[in-house]
Amino acid sequence: MATNSTFISASLLPHLLILLLLPLSLAAPGGGKWNLLLSNIGVSAMHMQLLNNDRVVIFDLTDFGPSNISLPNNQCRNNPNDLTLKVDCTAHSVEYDVASNSIRPLNVFTNVWCSSGAAMPDGSLLQTGGFNDGDRNVRVIKPCTDSSCDWQEFNNVLTQRRWYATSHILPDGRQIIIGGRGQFTYEFYPKRAGADQAYNLPFLSQTNDPRIENNLYPFVFLNVDGNLFIFANNRAILFDYVNGVVLKTYPTIPGGDPRNYPSSGSAVLLPLRDLQGGANITAEVLVCGGAPRGSFTSVNNGNFVGALNTCGRIRITDSNPQWVMETMPLSRVMGDMVLLPNGNILIVNGAAAGTAGWELGRNPVLTPLIYRPNNPIGLRFEVQNSSVTPRMYHSTAILLRDGRILISGSNPHAYYNFTGVQFPTDLTMETYSPDYLDPRLARVRPRIISPASQSQIGYGQQLTVNFTIEGRIDRDFITVTMVAPPFTTHSFSMNQRVLVLNNGNDSSSIVKSLGRTNYQVRVVTPGSNIVAPPGYYILFVVYREVPSQGIWVQIK
Ligand SMILES: *[C@@H]1O[C@H](CO)[C@@H](O)[C@H](O)[C@H]1NC(C)=O
Ligand SMILES: *[C@@H]1O[C@H](CO)[C@@H](O)[C@H](O)[C@H]1NC(C)=O
Ligand SMILES: *[C@@H]1O[C@H](CO)[C@@H](O)[C@H](O)[C@H]1NC(C)=O
Ligand SMILES: *[C@@H]1O[C@H](CO)[C@@H](O)[C@H](O)[C@H]1NC(C)=O
Ligand SMILES: *[C@@H]1O[C@H](CO)[C@@H](O)[C@H](O)[C@H]1NC(C)=O
Ligand SMILES: *[C@@H]1O[C@H](CO)[C@@H](O)[C@H](O)[C@H]1NC(C)=O
């Protein structure tokens, strides 16, 4: 794996093992473990969302014929608008239950292909748009603990069709839906009297090359000043969505290559700290990978151009923001970027050549990377253990409450094609366990005693977390983080956010020892609904880079 000493010095496990003076069967740096969970979940996981019942809602599209899982109770979908089957007795959405490692088919009626969504303040998933008969619909699934919850559809409630749009949850609990094929506008849902129309966003037409549409699934983040950072193609704006005003135009990303679908790179908002500081908080965005300009045209002529190996990082809150470029150890298009509980970033899935789109990717990248945002430049990337399963177009990755990364999907075809193709439709589901889950770290893994999972918290309030750690620790290295579970599709995780809590005065936390293995940490919850839009988050106690199992908290 990693032979370069750069990666060795950045590695977590040897460092911690040395620090902890545990038996040193010194592993190679850059570990992590891959585990197959299920060999057939019935659908290809094009979209995934974890809900606060520890179940993952998964769906792909309805119009390509039968999936590999039947609807329950011999039900069939009778949809005269379906483009392939008018009567379809298979499911195109499923729910994965983490605790029992099992799948339950769900009923979705209209086409949810290449859509968007967000978990709402009450924990429901509100999915927006799709294709054909579903492109102006929204669908809601409210989490349950039995088998009673299923999709509820609301027809033609969006003002415009939203196919390849991006959603973001707002401080007031509504969702904003931005762009989509041929739509240079945004709108809100739920609708409000006097604000029920779509509003123009010329930036989306300015960044649109009509032959390629290199600005789909824009990367959208809610900035700490309440405005939206919107990245499309190769540049970004800071947008006041309330007044419809562009407040700032960021420089074009160096090199000028497009990073959005079908040149699909990925992007994250780096973990936010000092959460009482309002608009004074520093916010940074990291954009990684993609396909060079011209790749889509080349690929359609049979020439699979190598993917980009660069990331651009920018402090979006600076008065004169500038991109800082970094080089990844591997090139990647169609990768997924997953924020981890300890504030690091996993970059996984994707290909080393081609673009997004049917049949347009080559050379799967089986090797994930960890990016440590707080390390000095040059010491941030670490190569991890490889998987054996190509996860190309239409694959997804999300964080689970226990710290594992759930990975599924990959279907570069317009149908389910299991034979006669280079990259068969993949219905397997697996996890990647970063090396912070190595059993040799058990003695330093925090275990949260209180508060109880599903507790409610307010804004800017004291929060006391009791936890245990078996082994000896240095209390200065305890942190508390909150992770918002994102809606993931097409290499972008909408609403993904990590908040690093502190004691309200400085960046340290106050940790008290309550006996040999018991501790208490006092933190202040996020200062506002701009920093932390209302809803469910996973709260973790982290020792150095080792997270506890998380608990669900609802902030409102
Ligand atoms: C992954 O990495 C770890 C640590 O470097 C190593 O012990 C393990 O054997 C590797 N391979 C697999 C398949 O987990
Ligand atoms: C999917 O279903 C088809 C048709 O029933 C079957 O031949 C195939 O083995 C299934 N594929 C997987 C990956 O389960
Ligand atoms: C932001 O910084 C300014 C200037 O230092 C200060 O006056 C203001 O109170 C700060 N705002 C918050 C919310 O901390
Ligand atoms: C995939 O399967 C469909 C339906 O059976 C077929 O029409 C199509 O040619 C296949 N695609 C490829 C790339 O082989
Ligand atoms: C946390 O621990 C302290 C000290 O043992 C105890 O007094 C307190 O009740 C605990 N809090 C909760 C919510 O269990
Ligand atoms: C912040 O510091 C002040 C002054 O030192 C102290 O009174 C206050 O309790 C501290 N607040 C928190 C949340 O620790």
Side-chain angles (χ1 to χ4, degrees), residues 27-33 385:
K33 256 193 141 42
N385 278 348

Short mmCIF file of all heavy atoms in Angstrom, two decimals, residues 27-33 385, ligand 1:
data_model
loop_
_atom_site.label_atom_id
_atom_site.label_comp_id
_atom_site.label_asym_id
_atom_site.label_seq_id
_atom_site.Cartn_x
_atom_site.Cartn_y
_atom_site.Cartn_z
N ALA A 27 1.24 -2.82 12.30
CA ALA A 27 0.57 -2.95 11.01
C ALA A 27 1.12 -1.94 10.03
O ALA A 27 1.67 -0.92 10.42
CB ALA A 27 -0.92 -2.71 11.20
N ALA A 28 0.96 -2.25 8.78
CA ALA A 28 1.29 -1.27 7.74
C ALA A 28 0.38 -0.06 7.93
O ALA A 28 -0.72 -0.20 8.42
CB ALA A 28 1.08 -1.87 6.37
N PRO A 29 0.86 1.10 7.55
CA PRO A 29 0.01 2.28 7.72
C PRO A 29 -1.16 2.25 6.77
O PRO A 29 -1.11 1.57 5.74
CB PRO A 29 0.95 3.43 7.35
CG PRO A 29 1.92 2.82 6.43
CD PRO A 29 2.10 1.41 6.89
N GLY A 30 -2.17 3.02 7.10
CA GLY A 30 -3.28 3.13 6.19
C GLY A 30 -4.04 1.83 6.17
O GLY A 30 -3.90 1.02 5.27
N GLY A 31 -4.85 1.60 7.16
CA GLY A 31 -5.55 0.33 7.26
C GLY A 31 -6.97 0.45 6.81
O GLY A 31 -7.27 0.90 5.72
N GLY A 32 -7.84 0.05 7.70
CA GLY A 32 -9.24 0.02 7.38
C GLY A 32 -9.61 -1.35 6.86
O GLY A 32 -8.77 -2.08 6.35
N LYS A 33 -10.87 -1.72 7.06
CA LYS A 33 -11.33 -3.06 6.72
C LYS A 33 -12.59 -3.00 5.91
O LYS A 33 -13.48 -2.20 6.19
CB LYS A 33 -11.63 -3.81 8.03
CG LYS A 33 -10.58 -4.81 8.40
CD LYS A 33 -11.05 -5.74 9.49
CE LYS A 33 -10.57 -7.16 9.24
NZ LYS A 33 -9.20 -7.26 8.78
N ASN A 385 -6.51 0.71 2.82
CA ASN A 385 -6.67 -0.63 2.22
C ASN A 385 -7.70 -0.61 1.10
O ASN A 385 -8.76 -0.01 1.25
CB ASN A 385 -7.19 -1.61 3.27
CG ASN A 385 -6.10 -2.16 4.15
OD1 ASN A 385 -4.92 -1.98 3.86
ND2 ASN A 385 -6.50 -2.81 5.23
C1 LIG B 1 -5.68 -3.56 6.03
O1 LIG B 1 -4.81 -2.81 6.83
C2 LIG B 1 -4.51 -3.35 8.08
C3 LIG B 1 -3.66 -2.38 8.84
O2 LIG B 1 -2.69 -1.83 8.04
C4 LIG B 1 -3.90 -4.72 7.93
O3 LIG B 1 -3.62 -5.28 9.16
C5 LIG B 1 -4.86 -5.59 7.15
O4 LIG B 1 -4.36 -6.85 6.98
C6 LIG B 1 -5.16 -4.95 5.82
N1 LIG B 1 -5.97 -5.76 4.97
C7 LIG B 1 -7.27 -6.08 5.15
C8 LIG B 1 -7.86 -6.92 4.07
O5 LIG B 1 -7.93 -5.71 6.08
#
